[in-house]
């Protein structure tokens, strides 16, 4: 079974850019018919889908975050990344990376990493 | 504001059954696969159901799901205290071209 692990700063200042990386093991980000996604969960709230990147590099983003989000993939390192610009306190959340497929929004999940936006 | 609707909470006694509804529209549930997730406090969600009604290996058959039109339902039979968790439905929304989750339902075992 594929394993995913998020990494990145736990504290980001307002107006700056949040950057996280997800390292994939037990599988390849180049595998056809799997999509590599980011999902977040503000403290005490529900899940919010951020977006995904496919093995071909196609990306889909949440309409509410589209102007600030970039998801990229590095096949040589078998990892994918999230960048969220111009963050505010509302972006404080546990950020999960996950593997999606055509039959499931998210099959496998990372453990999650808390990112706090604060000066 | 989610495009999917779930009841905030459901409860039942041990051994009983609960059902959790997930209501959407023709742009999401009606024409895309639904998946269900279980989340305990402080942990990542876990896939319970995929492709509307299929269970990954290791998920007990006490968990079942169905879909009809613009709604999906998760059922848990033989309720156990260990089933107390938050449950989320999720699917693709073709109009938004984005994934969507329901707001979540907290299951309480009385």
């Amino acid at each position: 079974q594929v394993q995913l692990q998020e990494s990145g700063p736990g504290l980001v200042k307002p107006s700056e850019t949040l950057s996280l990386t997800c390292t994939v093991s037990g599988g390849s980000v180049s595998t056809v018919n799997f999509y590599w996604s980011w999902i977040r969960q503000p403290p005490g709230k529900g899940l919010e889908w951020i977006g995904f990147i496919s093995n071909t590099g196609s990306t889909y983003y949440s309409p509410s975050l589209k102007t600030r989000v970039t998801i990229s993939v590095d096949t040589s390192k078998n990892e994918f990344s999230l960048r969220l610009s111009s963050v505010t306190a509302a972006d404080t959340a546990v950020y999960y990376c996950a593997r999606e497929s055509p039959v499931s929004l998210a099959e496998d999940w990372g453990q999650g990493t808390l990112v706090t936006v604060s000066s | 504001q989610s495009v999917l609707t779930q009841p905030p909470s459901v409860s039942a006694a041990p051994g009983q059954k609960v059902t959790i509804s997930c209501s959407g529209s023709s742009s999401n549930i009606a024409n895309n696969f639904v998946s269900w997730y279980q989340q305990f406090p402080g942990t990542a969600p876990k896939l319970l159901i995929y492709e509307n009604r299929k269970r990954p290996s290791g998920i007990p058959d006490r968990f079942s799901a169905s879909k009809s039109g613009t709604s999906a339902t998760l059922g848990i039979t033989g309720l156990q205290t260990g089933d107390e968790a938050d449950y989320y439905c999720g699917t693709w929304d073709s109009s938004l071209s984005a994934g969507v989750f329901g707001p979540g339902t907290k299951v309480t075992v009385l």
Side-chain angles (χ1 to χ4, degrees), chain A residues 54-106:
Chain A
S54 74
N55 67 299
T56 62
S58 298
T59 53
Y60 286 83
Y61 300 131
S62 167
S64 64
L65 298 171
K66 191 172 187 175
T67 59
R68 299 193 292 130
V69 174
T70 302
I71 297 176
S72 59
V73 66
D74 187 335
T75 56
S76 66
K77 296 181 179 180
N78 210 36
E79 61 186 31
F80 61 105
S81 299
L82 169 72
R83 287 173 59 85
L84 181 65
S85 63
S86 305
V87 297
T88 70
D91 295 308
T92 294
V94 175
Y95 285 76
Y96 296 101
C97 59
R99 182 178 74 163
E100 293 190 25
S101 77
V103 298
S104 170
L105 198 57

Side-chain angles (χ1 to χ4, degrees), chain A:
Chain A
Q1 188 171 354
V2 69
Q3 296 190 344
L4 305 102
Q5 178 68 57
E6 306 89 351
S7 60
L11 181 65
V12 181
K13 289 182 168 54
S15 80
E16 295 190 345
T17 296
L18 178 160
S19 295
L20 295 174
T21 296
C22 182
T23 301
V24 179
S25 57
S28 170
V29 295
S30 299
T31 304
V32 176
N33 283 340
F34 283 114
Y35 318 121
W36 306 94
S37 66
W38 289 95
I39 295 160
R40 71 180 183 179
Q41 185 171 36
K45 297 188 178 181
L47 302 170
E48 180 182 16
W49 187 87
I50 298 172
F52 77 63
I53 187 166
S54 74
N55 67 299
T56 62
S58 298
T59 53
Y60 286 83
Y61 300 131
S62 167
S64 64
L65 298 171
K66 191 172 187 175
T67 59
R68 299 193 292 130
V69 174
T70 302
I71 297 176
S72 59
V73 66
D74 187 335
T75 56
S76 66
K77 296 181 179 180
N78 210 36
E79 61 186 31
F80 61 105
S81 299
L82 169 72
R83 287 173 59 85
L84 181 65
S85 63
S86 305
V87 297
T88 70
D91 295 308
T92 294
V94 175
Y95 285 76
Y96 296 101
C97 59
R99 182 178 74 163
E100 293 190 25
S101 77
V103 298
S104 170
L105 198 57
E107 294 188 355
D108 301 289
W109 298 67
Q111 65 183 27
T113 186
L114 174 63
V115 179
T116 302
V117 178
S118 174
S119 55

Side-chain angles (χ1 to χ4, degrees), chain B residues 21-110:
Chain B
S21 61
C22 178
S23 179
S25 68
S26 58
S27 67
N28 42 65
I29 289 178
N31 290 290
N32 294 286
F33 289 125
V34 177
S35 46
W36 289 89
Y37 305 88
Q38 176 189 59
Q39 185 182 34
F40 297 107
T43 68
K46 175 183 177 181
L47 180 66
L48 276 182
I49 298 287
Y50 68 97
E51 205 172 327
N52 301 330
R53 58 173 59 243
K54 296 181 178 179
R55 285 176 286 106
S57 60
I59 301 300
D61 58 7
R62 298 188 300 105
F63 295 91
S64 64
S66 62
K67 187 181 89 168
S68 178
T70 60
S71 292
T73 301
L74 174 71
I76 310 173
T77 58
L79 201 60
Q80 302 174 2
T81 55
D83 297 331
E84 286 202 333
D86 293 321
Y87 293 82
Y88 294 90
C89 58
T91 187
W92 184 256
D93 189 294
S94 303
S95 294
L96 298 173
S97 292
V100 289
F101 288 101
T105 298
K106 183 175 182 59
V107 169
T108 300
V109 181
L110 301 173

